[in-house]
Amino acid sequence: MLRGCAAQLLLATLAFLLLYVITGPEGSPGGSHFALMVLYLAALWVGKLTAPFLPKLPPLLPMLVVGFLLRNLPKLGTVIGS
């Protein structure tokens, strides 16, 4: 379990670095590409984390909740990007 989490964290870090190298300032925190990457990774991880606890619901529902929270929590949209 810990090995899988470490591998996912490493892949996410490499994805962020690659995004920044390719897109420049848009890939840095506050840019639109960075916001899309954060939204995708957060939704994916929450969907996987809640799957054992909510077996009858598809992982898409927690992903939708993450998108709603990232958009509506105060001051989070300006930090991640709008």
Side-chain angles (χ1 to χ4, degrees):
M1 180 75 178
L2 186 60
R3 178 184 257 175
C5 290
Q8 283 187 356
L9 184 62
L10 179 66
L11 286 175
T13 304
L14 288 174
F16 281 125
L17 288 174
L18 186 63
L19 180 72
Y20 181 72
V21 167
I22 290 174
T23 62
E26 285 295 315
S28 64
S32 59
H33 292 88
F34 181 79
L36 285 174
M37 179 72 83
V38 168
L39 177 65
Y40 175 72
L41 290 176
L44 188 67
W45 288 336
V46 168
K48 285 184 179 184
L49 284 174
T50 57
F53 304 112
L54 304 169
K56 298 238 180 202
L57 293 176
L60 188 61
L61 185 64
M63 291 180 184
L64 182 66
V65 170
V66 166
F68 180 77
L69 288 176
L70 286 178
R71 182 66 176 168
N72 292 312
L73 287 176
K75 295 187 183 181
L76 191 61
T78 57
V79 173
I80 293 177
S82 50

